Amino acid sequence: MHFPLSFPSIRRRAAAAAGIGFLLLCCVAGAPAQGQLGLFSQSSKKKLDTASRTAQAARPETVSPESPRAAVAAFLDLTSAGRDTEAAQYLDLPDSLRTRGPELAREFKLVLDRKVWIDLEDISGAAAGDTAGGGSRNLVQIAELPGTRGDHEPVRLSRVWRGGAQRWLFSRGTVQRIPEWYAALPDRWALQHLPAVLQKSGPLGLTAWQWLAFPVLLVVAFGFGTALNMLLALVFARVARRTARDWDDEVISRLAGPVTLGLTVAMVAFLLPWLALGMQGQLWVSRLLKAALMVAFFWGLVRLVDVWRQRMAVSGWAMAGGAARSILPLGSRVAKVAIVAIGVVTVLSTLGFPVAGVLGGLGIGALAFALAAQKTVENLFGAFSIGADQIFREGDGIKVDGVAGTVERVGLRSTRIRTIDRTVVTLPNGKLADSQIESFAVRDRIRLNMVLGLVYETTGAQMRSVLDGLERVLREHPHVTTDNITVRLTDFGASALNVQVQTWVQTTDWNEFLLIRQGILLQFMDVVERAGSGFAFPSQTVYLKR
């Protein structure tokens, strides 16, 4: 049992995991926000499902600049730009908190980023507001925040008149709850002690310090995942050693990489709360983790195809036919391509890409490809047919369409035959599958068939002696079957008395058959010589008359 536990192997796996993570992160950054969540609480999932419709969409124009929607949009834009003093004007500050306006605006923005997703489409765009969110016409509820006691606390806007004009501001009850909500944030320590430059919001809604901490978290998670994989490998190796099979050891070894990736994803999900991501960051990281799980799953399937190919290569079915062994690499490659294609579509769907159009385009492309490559596909399936039926195998002697020789290679498109003249004849597999093939490799014995011509001077007694002697030679030979021996005087030829000799030699090796036939022919010569006769050759007798 071998496990790739060396430092170079771990380093290669770390590089592979980092590369996969980087590619998935790049895909996530460019994916449309139509994903699903499964790694967070039900309340967050509900809010994010609503938010996924507008995560990357442009913010729609408000119907009225004095509407609740305009007030919320302005507050979010100002706080995102760091203009907390101006953003504080959208807070209905009580006298006790009036001096803390900019600070409360910044804290409120951080609370909203981490606790709730505000969909501007769901907020009224009318100047007078509405009662869809509950309350009166002067009070609009835009969201609910999870409270410190497990309940949900509303986030409301109230309509106030200042300077003879109406304005929509975050209500006093909401503003008074901001310090308590901010104090309950899990990353409050980092927000209070880290420099302002590290707290600026970046891509995907992650702050600078979260972007810096995320690679560290990945490294830590990979370390834990690798250690857990080693531990599990040792445990399962002990179990596998108690079984009579050896394929389970190969499975454990082959799945080391995919299992490490899966455990790394699980550790990232476990450590993720330490980063205190906002709702948008949770959305994208959740997609990233689910896509990584899909990569690990399909990666494991590809590795299992290799195990299947190795097991089939030493099976009785493959050992009995060389052609069957020759199509195993082809079958494994086709299976891998299919798994990778399904995996790519699944990962793209998990990341939020619309795959329906891609699949439709692939279907049209596959049809066009099939029409343009009919012969290639025919030859490809011909290779599978030859391997499945085990018509012949590499090294067999065959005869097809007047071509006789030894099969050198069964390829994906054609089969190469080495003729007796040492030339190579290439025949398409599609044609071979439909042709009449004579295989010399599957015969259990070789027929000995010949005609001996004796001179016309041979007497009847000599002929009987020759026939008896020839049959005795065949019956006493250890490689000749005695149940089907034919030695007969067949006819009077033009220049010889023809004797038909036919039997079967117990061998399948042509070279051995040639040696056996040579020994039999030498004994035939002795029989004819002892009988006083001789072998005839083509001749004519001319009679001249005066």
Side-chain angles (χ1 to χ4, degrees):
M1 185 68 188
H2 172 69
F3 297 100
L5 305 179
S6 61
F7 176 74
S9 176
I10 295 177
R11 184 175 57 187
R12 287 193 300 269
R13 267 189 275 168
I20 293 174
F22 177 75
L23 291 176
L24 290 176
L25 191 60
C26 292
C27 293
V28 163
Q34 297 175 355
Q36 301 173 353
L37 294 175
L39 299 177
F40 302 100
S41 64
Q42 292 297 324
S43 61
S44 298
K45 182 176 180 180
K46 181 178 179 181
K47 294 180 177 61
L48 288 177
D49 286 340
T50 303
S52 62
R53 299 191 300 268
T54 56
Q56 295 295 331
R59 183 170 294 163
E61 295 182 0
T62 58
V63 176
S64 171
E66 298 177 352
S67 64
R69 185 189 303 179
V72 175
F75 176 80
L76 295 178
D77 290 339
L78 291 173
T79 51
S80 298
R83 298 158 63 182
D84 298 334
T85 302
E86 299 178 45
Q89 297 177 6
Y90 291 90
L91 301 179
D92 190 3
L93 297 168
D95 295 336
S96 59
L97 299 176
R98 194 167 300 277
T99 58
R100 297 181 55 192
E103 179 185 356
L104 291 175
R106 183 181 66 85
E107 293 178 354
F108 192 35
K109 176 62 166 59
L110 295 172
V111 170
L112 293 178
D113 288 344
R114 285 155 177 76
K115 296 296 184 180
V116 71
W117 186 291
I118 297 178
D119 188 359
L120 295 177
E121 291 288 342
D122 295 337
I123 304 176
S124 173
D130 56 32
T131 58
S136 64
R137 293 179 60 85
N138 294 328
L139 199 64
V140 175
Q141 180 173 321
I142 65 170
E144 285 186 347
L145 288 176
T148 57
R149 294 178 293 274
D151 53 352
H152 289 80
E153 301 176 352
V155 177
R156 296 191 177 101
L157 279 82
S158 60
R159 183 167 58 173
V160 299
W161 280 261
R162 292 184 179 177
Q166 73 165 14
R167 293 188 61 185
W168 286 95
L169 308 176
F170 286 99
S171 66
R172 290 198 174 188
T174 298
V175 173
Q176 290 174 346
R177 300 288 295 161
I178 292 176
E180 183 178 349
W181 290 335
Y182 179 75
L185 293 179
D187 60 334
R188 185 171 58 88
W189 184 91
L191 296 174
Q192 292 177 346
H193 295 84
L194 291 179
V197 67
L198 295 180
Q199 300 185 30
K200 290 184 177 180
S201 180
L204 305 183
L206 275 66
T207 59
W209 76 267
Q210 289 172 335
W211 274 106
L212 295 175
F214 194 74
V216 178
L217 184 143
L218 288 179
V219 173
V220 174
F222 175 76
F224 278 106
T226 303
L228 288 176
N229 178 50
M230 293 179 180
L231 180 60
L232 291 176
L234 293 176
V235 172
F236 284 109
R238 288 190 174 184
V239 177
R241 281 195 294 267
R242 298 180 180 178
T243 62
R245 309 177 185 89
D246 54 355
W247 59 265
D248 48 4
D249 297 337
E250 187 66 22
V251 168
I252 295 173
S253 178
R254 287 282 184 174
L255 293 182
V259 170
T260 299
L261 180 57
L263 293 174
T264 301
V265 172
M267 292 304 303
V268 170
F270 177 76
L271 299 174
L272 201 59
W274 292 89
L275 290 183
L277 299 178
M279 301 300 288
Q280 184 182 8
Q282 292 182 23
L283 171 67
W284 295 120
V285 173
S286 174
R287 290 178 180 174
L288 177 64
L289 295 182
K290 292 176 68 176
L293 283 179
M294 292 297 102
V295 170
F297 174 74
F298 287 101
W299 185 11
L301 289 183
V302 170
R303 289 295 186 90
L304 290 179
V305 170
D306 292 332
V307 177
W308 170 81
R309 185 187 67 178
Q310 294 178 2
R311 298 307 305 168
M312 292 299 297
V314 297
S315 63
W317 171 76
M319 296 299 292
R325 290 197 303 271
S326 66
I327 68 170
L328 282 177
L330 171 63
S332 64
R333 286 196 293 268
V334 171
K336 287 182 179 180
V337 170
I339 292 173
V340 170
I342 297 174
V344 169
V345 172
T346 304
V347 170
L348 291 179
S349 177
T350 303
L351 294 176
F353 287 96
V355 297
V358 177
L359 293 178
L362 288 178
I364 297 175
L367 178 61
F369 176 78
L371 292 176
Q374 290 182 0
K375 289 298 182 181
T376 302
V377 175
E378 177 185 356
N379 294 328
L380 182 63
F381 280 96
F384 278 109
S385 176
I386 292 173
D389 293 341
Q390 300 188 26
I391 302 174
F392 53 80
R393 57 187 178 181
E394 295 179 0
D396 289 353
I398 64 171
K399 183 178 181 181
V400 54
D401 291 342
V403 178
T406 303
V407 178
E408 271 200 348
R409 181 178 179 273
V410 180
L412 302 181
R413 193 197 69 85
S414 62
T415 297
R416 294 190 301 188
I417 302 175
R418 177 76 65 176
T419 65
I420 300 176
D421 296 330
R422 304 306 296 165
T423 60
V424 175
V425 177
T426 303
L427 297 176
N429 291 329
K431 182 179 180 181
L432 277 177
D434 295 333
S435 300
Q436 181 178 355
I437 301 174
E438 180 181 359
S439 178
F440 304 116
V442 295
R443 57 187 177 185
D444 55 349
R445 46 189 159 175
I446 301 178
R447 186 167 69 105
L448 176 64
N449 184 28
M450 65 185 67
V451 176
L452 301 181
L454 301 182
V455 295
Y456 263 96
E457 287 78 7
T458 304
T459 63
Q462 291 174 338
M463 178 61 70
R464 295 185 185 91
S465 176
V466 169
L467 295 177
D468 292 340
L470 296 180
E471 185 172 351
R472 185 171 58 254
V473 169
L474 295 178
R475 291 190 179 278
E476 292 177 355
H477 199 284
H479 291 90
V480 175
T481 58
T482 58
D483 57 344
N484 192 7
I485 295 177
T486 300
V487 180
R488 298 290 185 269
L489 174 63
T490 57
D491 56 61
F492 296 94
S495 59
L497 302 173
N498 294 328
V499 177
Q500 178 74 37
V501 178
Q502 181 175 321
T503 187
W504 297 93
V505 178
Q506 292 283 7
T507 183
T508 58
D509 187 354
W510 180 254
N511 292 326
E512 184 182 6
F513 169 76
L514 293 178
L515 292 176
I516 294 174
R517 186 176 65 174
Q518 172 183 286
I520 292 175
L521 293 178
L522 291 176
Q523 294 184 59
F524 283 177
M525 294 177 63
D526 294 338
V527 170
V528 172
E529 184 179 352
R530 285 196 300 268
S533 179
F535 295 100
F537 51 87
S539 62
Q540 290 182 341
T541 302
V542 181
Y543 294 94
L544 299 178
K545 183 177 181 181
R546 291 182 180 275

